[in-house]
């Protein structure tokens, strides 16, 4: 039994102190990283509550409910940043990456601390795949929002559409990894391949910027 | 695995393949920029549809006996509908005029559909929540078809009467579950559902075959093509058993039609406004 809040404090406090010595994009990245960890903790509270309220078992909860709640919780700080500060495309992408990385880091920490590390390869696979999955959904979401802004159709329907895309991607991953064997490997490959594809796209995009 | 399940899985796998091809082609359209902004929304909408179908396929293979408590594939379907609506909004440009009659029809027809879904599935929140994007897309489509004049007033009136009859017959089937009236309403339902689909297919293909089209006609053809696509989805929801499989096959055939219409919309269609 671990207390997720303690883990959050242990990671967030040094980062918060580090903020005093940082400026510009570094500060933005660290701030969004902390926001991502906070979003993960709140998502865990909500998922836990919904699991109790709906009477679902933990596997069904992780397949059906977690993707929706987690994606909404990651989306909210990004949307807050977008609405309040009207950032440029690079800044938006940076914030999305920070939130995704923070979320994945905190989730991995809590998971490994409460379930134990079976072996080093397992920790490496779990760490990289979950990390990549949360990053991929956030980068895709940032791209979606960038597209909506570029074509001047930053409407509710477009925003919800982009968010739903991230949710379904996450849900597909969770469904695949819930079944041992071949589906799990497909599940692991899904975010990794998408990340490689998105990497090639973002590189071109950042070079253009 | 029964015959119906095998047919359904085969059709869904075929849909995944078709959607992948459409998406790849749509990405090319998006990159070329010759067709304005709609291909960008269409690509993302196709990606959502692809994810939704893919999710349904893997769920039916990994958990054949389990029932989805909360349909994640429906979220992707909603995403698709919302992205298509956003694309139509972009296409309409500065023309933000509201169409009260179109809105009223969309609310009444889709509201009745949602009520029927609730009766059939018993899921209140899910059906209401996921029915709203259908309502919005339908409103956008009717508005665009009216504005572009691709469907005449007489045709619109006939379609509205057919939709009303469709809902009335479905409601009648809740109360009458056997006998001659049940058989007659069943025949009537199939006639309207597939007859309307055939009519929409015919109108869209005729519009697509026209060589020279004004920007307004291109926009109208796109709305028609998306209406065929939407209608075939609704028909699948209205049926079960073998008729559902036929409806799914018709929907599979309708998949490339919106892409063909998107290809026709040139950049000038946006520059007009």
């Amino acid at each position: 039994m671990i207390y997720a809040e303690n883990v959050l404090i242990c990671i967030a406090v040094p980062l918060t102190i580090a903020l005093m010595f940082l400026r510009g994009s570094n500060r933005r990245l660290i701030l969004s990283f902390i926001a991502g960890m906070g979003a993960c903790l709140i998502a865990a509270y909500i998922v836990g509550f919904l699991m109790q309220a709906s009477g679902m078992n933990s596997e069904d909860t992780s397949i059906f409910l977690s993707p929706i709640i987690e994606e909404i919780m990651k989306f909210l700080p990004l949307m807050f940043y977008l609405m309040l500060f009207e950032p440029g495309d690079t800044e938006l992408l940076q914030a999305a990456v920070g939130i995704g990385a923070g979320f994945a880091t905190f989730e991995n920490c809590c998971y490994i601390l409460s379930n134990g590390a079976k072996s080093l390869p397992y920790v490496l696979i779990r760490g990289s795949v979950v990390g990549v999955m949360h990053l991929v959904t956030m980068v895709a979401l940032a791209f979606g929002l960038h597209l909506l802004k570029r074509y001047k159709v930053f409407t509710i329907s477009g925003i919800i559409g982009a968010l739903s895309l991230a949710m379904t991607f996450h849900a597909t991953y969770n469904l695949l990894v819930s079944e041992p064997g071949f589906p799990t490997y497909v599940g692991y490959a899904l975010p990794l391949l998408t990340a490689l594809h998105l990497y090639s796209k973002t590189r071109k995009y950042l070079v253009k910027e | 695995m029964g015959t119906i399940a095998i047919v359904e899985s085969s059709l869904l796998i075929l849909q995944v393949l078709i959607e992948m091809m459409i998406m790849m082609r749509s990405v090319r359209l998006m990159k070329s920029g010759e067709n304005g902004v709609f291909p960008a929304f269409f690509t993302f909408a196709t990606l959502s549809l692809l994810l939704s179908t893919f999710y349904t396929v893997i769920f039916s293979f990994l958990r054949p006996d389990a029932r989805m408590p909360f349909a994640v594939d429906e979220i992707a379907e909603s995403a698709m509908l919302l992205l298509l609506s956003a694309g139509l909004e972009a296409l309409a440009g500065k023309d933000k005029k509201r169409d009260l009659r179109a809105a009223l029809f969309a609310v009444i027809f889709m509201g009745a559909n949602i009520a029927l879904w609730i009766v059939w599935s018993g899921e209140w929140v899910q059906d209401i929540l996921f029915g709203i994007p259908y309502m919005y897309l339908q409103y956008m489509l009717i508005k665009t078809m009216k504005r572009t004049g691709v469907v005449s007033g007489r045709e619109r009136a006939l379609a509205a009467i057919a939709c009303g009859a469709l809902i009335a017959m479905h409601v009648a089937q809740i109360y009458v579950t056997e006998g001659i009236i049940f058989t007659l309403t069943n025949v009537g339902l199939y006639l309207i559902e597939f007859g309307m689909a055939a009519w929409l297919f015919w109108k869209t293909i005729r519009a697509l075959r026209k060589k020279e089209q004004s920007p307004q006609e291109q926009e109208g053809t796109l709305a028609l093509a998306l209406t065929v696509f939407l209608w075939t989805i609704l028909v699948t929801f209205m049926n079960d058993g073998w008729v559902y499989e036929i409806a799914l096959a018709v929907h599979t055939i309708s998949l490339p039609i919106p892409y063909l219409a998107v290809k026709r919309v040139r950049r000038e269609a946006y520059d007009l406004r």
Side-chain angles (χ1 to χ4, degrees), chain A residues 2-4 12 15 17 21 28 35-36 40 71 79 82 91 93 110 134 152 178 198 203 207:
Chain A
I2 59 143
Y3 289 103
L15 290 174
I17 295 167
F21 305 99
R28 189 182 309 117
C40 183
E71 289 309 321
M79 201 60 198
L82 187 67
E91 285 84 29
L93 185 67
C110 292
H134 283 297
K152 295 183 178 67
S178 71
L198 279 174
R203 211 175 50 163
V207 166

mmCIF file of all heavy atoms in Angstrom, chain A residues 2-4 12 15 17 21 28 35-36 40 71 79 82 91 93 110 134 152 178 198 203 207:
data_model
loop_
_atom_site.group_PDB
_atom_site.id
_atom_site.type_symbol
_atom_site.label_atom_id
_atom_site.label_comp_id
_atom_site.label_asym_id
_atom_site.label_seq_id
_atom_site.Cartn_x
_atom_site.Cartn_y
_atom_site.Cartn_z
ATOM 1 N N ILE A 2 0.708 2.099 -0.984
ATOM 2 C CA ILE A 2 1.470 3.353 -1.004
ATOM 3 C C ILE A 2 0.485 4.529 -1.003
ATOM 4 O O ILE A 2 -0.680 4.372 -1.358
ATOM 5 C CB ILE A 2 2.374 3.464 -2.254
ATOM 6 C CG1 ILE A 2 1.531 3.381 -3.545
ATOM 7 C CG2 ILE A 2 3.476 2.444 -2.256
ATOM 8 C CD1 ILE A 2 2.014 4.260 -4.624
ATOM 9 N N TYR A 3 0.964 5.667 -0.620
ATOM 10 C CA TYR A 3 0.130 6.861 -0.715
ATOM 11 C C TYR A 3 0.631 7.680 -1.907
ATOM 12 O O TYR A 3 1.769 8.179 -1.878
ATOM 13 C CB TYR A 3 0.199 7.658 0.586
ATOM 14 C CG TYR A 3 -0.523 6.954 1.711
ATOM 15 C CD1 TYR A 3 0.170 6.259 2.696
ATOM 16 C CD2 TYR A 3 -1.915 6.953 1.764
ATOM 17 C CE1 TYR A 3 -0.505 5.590 3.709
ATOM 18 C CE2 TYR A 3 -2.590 6.283 2.773
ATOM 19 C CZ TYR A 3 -1.882 5.597 3.735
ATOM 20 O OH TYR A 3 -2.551 4.930 4.720
ATOM 21 N N ALA A 4 -0.209 7.732 -2.905
ATOM 22 C CA ALA A 4 0.197 8.401 -4.150
ATOM 23 C C ALA A 4 0.573 9.861 -3.903
ATOM 24 O O ALA A 4 1.477 10.401 -4.554
ATOM 25 C CB ALA A 4 -0.927 8.311 -5.163
ATOM 26 N N ALA A 12 7.426 16.339 -6.947
ATOM 27 C CA ALA A 12 7.049 17.712 -7.333
ATOM 28 C C ALA A 12 7.837 18.786 -6.586
ATOM 29 O O ALA A 12 8.133 19.839 -7.166
ATOM 30 C CB ALA A 12 5.552 17.916 -7.125
ATOM 31 N N LEU A 15 11.156 19.697 -8.166
ATOM 32 C CA LEU A 15 10.881 20.341 -9.464
ATOM 33 C C LEU A 15 10.380 21.769 -9.267
ATOM 34 O O LEU A 15 10.735 22.672 -10.008
ATOM 35 C CB LEU A 15 9.856 19.526 -10.254
ATOM 36 C CG LEU A 15 10.323 18.173 -10.787
ATOM 37 C CD1 LEU A 15 9.168 17.412 -11.415
ATOM 38 C CD2 LEU A 15 11.431 18.365 -11.810
ATOM 39 N N ILE A 17 11.076 23.728 -6.761
ATOM 40 C CA ILE A 17 12.220 24.568 -6.360
ATOM 41 C C ILE A 17 13.066 24.895 -7.591
ATOM 42 O O ILE A 17 13.544 26.019 -7.765
ATOM 43 C CB ILE A 17 13.048 23.860 -5.252
ATOM 44 C CG1 ILE A 17 12.176 23.739 -3.990
ATOM 45 C CG2 ILE A 17 14.333 24.637 -4.929
ATOM 46 C CD1 ILE A 17 12.720 22.823 -2.942
ATOM 47 N N PHE A 21 14.930 28.715 -10.603
ATOM 48 C CA PHE A 21 16.191 28.964 -11.312
ATOM 49 C C PHE A 21 16.058 28.835 -12.833
ATOM 50 O O PHE A 21 17.039 28.868 -13.544
ATOM 51 C CB PHE A 21 17.265 27.987 -10.808
ATOM 52 C CG PHE A 21 17.434 28.055 -9.321
ATOM 53 C CD1 PHE A 21 16.826 27.116 -8.500
ATOM 54 C CD2 PHE A 21 18.165 29.080 -8.744
ATOM 55 C CE1 PHE A 21 16.956 27.186 -7.134
ATOM 56 C CE2 PHE A 21 18.299 29.154 -7.370
ATOM 57 C CZ PHE A 21 17.684 28.208 -6.550
ATOM 58 N N ARG A 28 8.451 26.309 -18.597
ATOM 59 C CA ARG A 28 7.170 25.840 -19.134
ATOM 60 C C ARG A 28 7.086 24.315 -19.107
ATOM 61 O O ARG A 28 6.086 23.736 -18.722
ATOM 62 C CB ARG A 28 7.002 26.348 -20.566
ATOM 63 C CG ARG A 28 5.614 26.110 -21.131
ATOM 64 C CD ARG A 28 5.490 26.581 -22.553
ATOM 65 N NE ARG A 28 5.952 27.956 -22.738
ATOM 66 C CZ ARG A 28 6.975 28.304 -23.503
ATOM 67 N NH1 ARG A 28 7.643 27.399 -24.171
ATOM 68 N NH2 ARG A 28 7.334 29.557 -23.613
ATOM 69 N N ALA A 35 2.001 19.664 -13.749
ATOM 70 C CA ALA A 35 0.552 19.655 -14.023
ATOM 71 C C ALA A 35 0.112 18.246 -14.468
ATOM 72 O O ALA A 35 -0.954 17.757 -14.065
ATOM 73 C CB ALA A 35 0.217 20.670 -15.102
ATOM 74 N N GLY A 36 0.950 17.603 -15.264
ATOM 75 C CA GLY A 36 0.650 16.234 -15.720
ATOM 76 C C GLY A 36 0.576 15.265 -14.558
ATOM 77 O O GLY A 36 -0.318 14.408 -14.507
ATOM 78 N N CYS A 40 -2.707 13.215 -13.182
ATOM 79 C CA CYS A 40 -2.703 11.760 -12.994
ATOM 80 C C CYS A 40 -3.309 11.393 -11.628
ATOM 81 O O CYS A 40 -4.104 10.459 -11.529
ATOM 82 C CB CYS A 40 -1.280 11.233 -13.103
ATOM 83 S SG CYS A 40 -1.161 9.458 -12.984
ATOM 84 N N GLU A 71 -7.689 10.796 -20.263
ATOM 85 C CA GLU A 71 -7.517 11.734 -21.382
ATOM 86 C C GLU A 71 -8.165 13.083 -21.081
ATOM 87 O O GLU A 71 -7.621 14.120 -21.448
ATOM 88 C CB GLU A 71 -8.087 11.147 -22.686
ATOM 89 C CG GLU A 71 -7.282 10.001 -23.261
ATOM 90 C CD GLU A 71 -5.799 10.279 -23.423
ATOM 91 O OE1 GLU A 71 -5.419 11.389 -23.794
ATOM 92 O OE2 GLU A 71 -5.012 9.361 -23.130
ATOM 93 N N MET A 79 -5.848 22.678 -22.219
ATOM 94 C CA MET A 79 -6.888 23.595 -22.672
ATOM 95 C C MET A 79 -6.831 24.904 -21.879
ATOM 96 O O MET A 79 -6.994 25.988 -22.449
ATOM 97 C CB MET A 79 -8.239 22.885 -22.463
ATOM 98 C CG MET A 79 -9.352 23.414 -23.288
ATOM 99 S SD MET A 79 -8.959 23.261 -25.023
ATOM 100 C CE MET A 79 -10.124 24.399 -25.666
ATOM 101 N N LEU A 82 -3.999 26.867 -23.188
ATOM 102 C CA LEU A 82 -4.326 27.370 -24.525
ATOM 103 C C LEU A 82 -5.276 28.569 -24.466
ATOM 104 O O LEU A 82 -5.099 29.562 -25.161
ATOM 105 C CB LEU A 82 -4.957 26.229 -25.333
ATOM 106 C CG LEU A 82 -5.214 26.477 -26.802
ATOM 107 C CD1 LEU A 82 -3.907 26.629 -27.538
ATOM 108 C CD2 LEU A 82 -5.979 25.315 -27.408
ATOM 109 N N GLU A 91 5.046 26.219 -28.423
ATOM 110 C CA GLU A 91 4.791 26.277 -26.975
ATOM 111 C C GLU A 91 3.707 25.275 -26.585
ATOM 112 O O GLU A 91 3.799 24.609 -25.567
ATOM 113 C CB GLU A 91 4.351 27.682 -26.551
ATOM 114 C CG GLU A 91 5.451 28.721 -26.491
ATOM 115 C CD GLU A 91 5.723 29.334 -27.847
ATOM 116 O OE1 GLU A 91 4.787 29.395 -28.661
ATOM 117 O OE2 GLU A 91 6.875 29.725 -28.109
ATOM 118 N N LEU A 93 2.902 22.519 -28.163
ATOM 119 C CA LEU A 93 3.455 21.169 -28.275
ATOM 120 C C LEU A 93 4.327 20.853 -27.063
ATOM 121 O O LEU A 93 4.250 19.755 -26.495
ATOM 122 C CB LEU A 93 4.276 21.052 -29.571
ATOM 123 C CG LEU A 93 4.819 19.672 -29.904
ATOM 124 C CD1 LEU A 93 3.683 18.713 -30.226
ATOM 125 C CD2 LEU A 93 5.765 19.737 -31.095
ATOM 126 N N CYS A 110 3.836 5.050 -9.390
ATOM 127 C CA CYS A 110 2.822 4.473 -8.491
ATOM 128 C C CYS A 110 2.613 3.000 -8.813
ATOM 129 O O CYS A 110 2.465 2.174 -7.907
ATOM 130 C CB CYS A 110 1.509 5.244 -8.591
ATOM 131 S SG CYS A 110 1.657 6.891 -7.935
ATOM 132 N N HIS A 134 1.185 7.783 -23.375
ATOM 133 C CA HIS A 134 0.659 9.063 -22.885
ATOM 134 C C HIS A 134 1.206 10.239 -23.692
ATOM 135 O O HIS A 134 0.497 11.222 -23.929
ATOM 136 C CB HIS A 134 0.971 9.234 -21.393
ATOM 137 C CG HIS A 134 0.072 8.417 -20.522
ATOM 138 N ND1 HIS A 134 -1.278 8.616 -20.464
ATOM 139 C CD2 HIS A 134 0.330 7.378 -19.703
ATOM 140 C CE1 HIS A 134 -1.816 7.732 -19.634
ATOM 141 N NE2 HIS A 134 -0.862 6.962 -19.162
ATOM 142 N N LYS A 152 -8.969 27.906 -38.535
ATOM 143 C CA LYS A 152 -9.924 28.843 -37.913
ATOM 144 C C LYS A 152 -11.273 28.187 -37.610
ATOM 145 O O LYS A 152 -12.338 28.768 -37.815
ATOM 146 C CB LYS A 152 -10.124 30.079 -38.812
ATOM 147 C CG LYS A 152 -8.860 30.897 -38.948
ATOM 148 C CD LYS A 152 -9.092 32.130 -39.778
ATOM 149 C CE LYS A 152 -7.861 32.983 -39.892
ATOM 150 N NZ LYS A 152 -6.753 32.394 -40.651
ATOM 151 N N SER A 178 -4.622 -5.848 -22.210
ATOM 152 C CA SER A 178 -5.326 -6.598 -21.154
ATOM 153 C C SER A 178 -5.325 -8.099 -21.434
ATOM 154 O O SER A 178 -5.551 -8.906 -20.541
ATOM 155 C CB SER A 178 -6.761 -6.096 -21.013
ATOM 156 O OG SER A 178 -7.516 -6.504 -22.138
ATOM 157 N N LEU A 198 4.809 10.084 -35.507
ATOM 158 C CA LEU A 198 4.605 11.465 -35.041
ATOM 159 C C LEU A 198 5.937 12.193 -34.908
ATOM 160 O O LEU A 198 6.027 13.393 -35.163
ATOM 161 C CB LEU A 198 3.870 11.474 -33.700
ATOM 162 C CG LEU A 198 2.356 11.303 -33.740
ATOM 163 C CD1 LEU A 198 1.797 11.187 -32.340
ATOM 164 C CD2 LEU A 198 1.687 12.484 -34.441
ATOM 165 N N ARG A 203 9.279 16.630 -36.247
ATOM 166 C CA ARG A 203 10.606 17.111 -36.618
ATOM 167 C C ARG A 203 10.511 18.059 -37.812
ATOM 168 O O ARG A 203 11.020 19.171 -37.781
ATOM 169 C CB ARG A 203 11.512 15.936 -36.927
ATOM 170 C CG ARG A 203 12.965 16.231 -36.590
ATOM 171 C CD ARG A 203 13.816 15.034 -36.787
ATOM 172 N NE ARG A 203 13.604 14.433 -38.084
ATOM 173 C CZ ARG A 203 14.451 13.568 -38.637
ATOM 174 N NH1 ARG A 203 15.519 13.207 -37.989
ATOM 175 N NH2 ARG A 203 14.197 13.029 -39.822
ATOM 176 N N VAL A 207 11.183 22.046 -37.704
ATOM 177 C CA VAL A 207 12.184 22.617 -38.612
ATOM 178 C C VAL A 207 11.560 23.775 -39.392
ATOM 179 O O VAL A 207 12.149 24.852 -39.510
ATOM 180 C CB VAL A 207 12.727 21.514 -39.576
ATOM 181 C CG1 VAL A 207 13.490 22.137 -40.723
ATOM 182 C CG2 VAL A 207 13.631 20.567 -38.808
#
